[in-house]
Amino acid sequence: MSDSIISVEHIFNAVTDSTGTLEILCDIDFALKERETAAIVGASGSGKSTLLSIIAGLDTPTSGTVRLAGQDLFTIDEDARAALRARKVGFVFQSFQLLGNLTALENVMLPLELDGRKDARKAATEMLARVGLSQRLGSYPRVLSGGEQQRVALARAFVVHPAVLLADEPTGSLDFATGEKIMELMFDLNREQGTTLVLVTHDRAIAARCDRRITIEAGRVLPVDENS
């Protein structure tokens, strides 16, 4: 697994309360190479989003290891994980997660500014043009449609040229036609930048566009995870 950009090694995750212990993930084990695209699919409550959060180092598993670009995420502290995410990972969420008090341009500039980039405005402007929002640079999220907000989110994710893009149901809040356009744009940007994509989706048609399909059922990966 040494040549993998993402290595998920025997991940278990469980929560315990007064009623007992609930196993959410059980012995999840797979690896993804650079530029590979993978869809994590499964029924609601199967553990898909929990797995994505663990891959990002946002949640800590009960046991197991996740390596991102060779770094074991759970042998470093949260500050170091955050710094690694800032360098290596882009995120796209179902709910967009834009900052309402910032314009489209400012939202996309933010990760560049946090990284100390002097060309943040220029790079963000160019990326918003790439996603078709040149005329919306000064618009706040509240006046943007859902599709436009997700385009801003895509621009923010890709403007840092991440090694890995993690996307959690990115079309879940959009109508079918808008969702189709967003997915086309996401896959285009992914190819252009050579990003490794991990996509949580319930949509089998979207999953079929990925190199691999990792199916989670009752917290376990089903034996066959390759797209045919």
Side-chain angles (χ1 to χ4, degrees), residues 7-210:
S7 180
V8 177
E9 303 171 15
H10 304 293
I11 289 294
F12 289 79
N13 197 58
V15 294
T16 302
D17 61 19
S18 59
T19 63
T21 298
L22 174 64
E23 191 173 71
I24 299 172
L25 297 172
C26 181
D27 201 19
I28 306 295
D29 194 88
F30 64 88
L32 298 174
K33 297 179 180 179
E34 291 183 1
R35 297 175 177 266
E36 197 166 11
T37 60
I40 300 174
V41 300
S44 178
S46 60
K48 305 186 301 297
S49 293
T50 298
L51 177 57
L52 197 72
S53 292
I54 290 172
I55 292 171
L58 295 170
D59 286 342
T60 303
T62 305
S63 64
T65 299
V66 173
R67 300 183 196 278
L68 175 62
Q71 174 66 62
D72 184 338
L73 293 182
F74 305 115
T75 60
I76 57 178
D77 63 23
E78 178 50 39
D79 287 344
R81 284 197 294 272
L84 183 62
R85 281 193 295 269
R87 295 195 308 272
K88 297 289 186 180
V89 183
F91 293 93
V92 179
F93 301 95
Q94 177 177 338
S95 56
F96 318 132
Q97 298 289 333
L98 301 179
L99 296 178
N101 62 328
L102 300 182
T103 65
L105 180 60
E106 291 166 343
N107 266 282
V108 179
M109 288 173 61
L110 185 59
L112 299 171
E113 291 177 325
L114 292 174
D115 194 40
R117 288 270 297 270
K118 302 298 185 184
D119 64 338
R121 180 172 293 273
K122 179 176 182 292
T125 300
E126 290 173 351
M127 184 55 69
L128 282 165
R130 173 63 186 84
V131 301
L133 292 178
S134 291
Q135 306 305 313
R136 301 294 253 162
L137 302 183
S139 298
Y140 289 91
R142 65 179 178 274
V143 301
L144 299 175
S145 68
E148 288 172 331
Q149 289 186 63
Q150 197 61 296
R151 286 173 183 268
V152 175
L154 283 175
R156 182 181 58 188
F158 279 105
V159 74
V160 296
H161 290 260
V164 174
L165 181 72
L166 303 178
D168 192 358
E169 298 281 9
T171 63
S173 297
L174 305 173
D175 63 76
F176 178 78
T178 303
E180 287 283 291
K181 292 175 182 177
I182 290 296
M183 291 311 304
E184 194 67 41
L185 180 59
M186 177 182 288
F187 280 109
D188 285 349
L189 289 167
N190 199 69
R191 283 191 295 269
E192 288 170 15
Q193 294 196 6
T195 307
T196 300
L197 172 65
V198 184
L199 168 69
V200 166
T201 183
H202 64 276
D203 189 321
R204 297 281 173 168
I206 292 174
R209 299 182 62 172
C210 294

